[in-house]
Amino acid sequence: MDTLNALLESTSRPSYILPDGDFGKYLPGVWKRTLDWRHFGGSFDHIHCSNNIVFIDDDRRHQTESSCTLKWSFGKTPDKTRLQAGYVMKCSKHGSSLDRKLEWEYDGCLCSGTFHASTSTAVLHYQLPDSTVLVTYRLVDQHTMALCIVEVTAQYPPSIQYGHMSRLDLSLYPSQRGDIASLSA
């Protein structure tokens, strides 16, 4: 019973707290996102797995003391010619707390979210004309996030996608270093 209590206690609290609570400083980099997709409901049947590259660039042109702008791009490889632009997210201080307000436009719709510093968790909400997507990121450590996506659309069966994002160490990929370095140039 003591082992179970210790396990429950260790998994119930955030395992990584940002030193200054600044989610906008934590995100920039090249990430590998691995997801397991399942039907959302019924027996939660397996759909498929996916692996993607997520490149988050700090756009310093629009940075202020209380906010920053992050450009998100997606693809299968870190090759800049094969990444697709996703959206530009504004990350700003939320009142007097360390929480951050997140805003971006996706598919012509204004979307919003919040980073909760006390739980090291970001919740992003996409409310589109014929779909609703809820994304939760939980910071695990300096280079890892757990994530869960619930997507309900009019076009496809509802899905739940869960997995993690790991920051890539570009020194381990010498053939890709130039491609990624030139993305933010």
Side-chain angles (χ1 to χ4, degrees):
M1 188 64 142
D2 289 334
T3 305
L4 178 60
N5 287 336
L7 178 62
L8 290 172
E9 184 179 321
S10 70
T11 57
S12 65
R13 65 177 180 261
S15 53
Y16 181 72
I17 301 291
L18 290 175
D20 59 0
D22 196 341
F23 192 53
K25 287 182 183 174
Y26 173 84
L27 284 175
V30 180
W31 298 82
K32 179 182 179 189
R33 181 178 68 188
T34 302
L35 296 173
D36 187 9
W37 294 52
R38 294 189 173 268
H39 288 287
F40 184 49
S43 62
F44 291 87
D45 292 332
H46 183 262
I47 300 171
H48 65 89
C49 295
S50 64
N51 290 293
N52 297 88
I53 296 295
V54 179
F55 178 65
I56 305 171
D57 189 23
D58 187 0
D59 185 354
R60 298 186 189 282
R61 296 174 297 165
H62 302 287
Q63 190 170 350
T64 69
E65 189 175 312
S66 63
S67 70
C68 67
T69 303
L70 304 169
K71 293 188 291 186
W72 293 60
S73 302
F74 302 88
K76 293 286 184 189
T77 74
D79 179 354
K80 69 176 183 174
T81 62
R82 297 175 68 187
L83 288 175
Q84 299 293 315
Y87 43 85
V88 176
M89 176 184 284
K90 182 179 180 182
C91 181
S92 54
K93 287 186 179 178
H94 190 62
S96 60
S97 71
L98 292 176
D99 292 352
R100 296 295 191 261
K101 181 178 178 182
L102 310 170
E103 298 174 297
W104 66 99
E105 188 176 306
Y106 183 79
D107 205 19
C109 298
L110 187 60
C111 302
S112 63
T114 305
F115 173 73
H116 302 277
S118 63
T119 59
S120 294
T121 303
V123 179
L124 283 59
H125 185 243
Y126 298 72
Q127 185 64 50
L128 308 173
D130 41 346
S131 67
T132 299
V133 182
L134 185 65
V135 182
T136 304
Y137 292 94
R138 181 172 184 253
L139 280 55
V140 175
D141 60 38
Q142 187 177 359
H143 303 292
T144 312
M145 293 184 281
L147 73 142
C148 180
I149 303 168
V150 175
E151 184 172 4
V152 179
T153 72
Q155 301 165 331
Y156 305 105
S159 69
I160 183 168
Q161 305 149 37
Y162 59 91
H164 62 276
M165 284 177 52
S166 300
R167 192 183 310 271
L168 293 179
D169 180 353
L170 296 181
S171 67
L172 300 176
Y173 304 93
S175 65
Q176 300 296 335
R177 244 182 271 150
D179 289 336
I180 295 299
S182 63
L183 283 172
S184 53

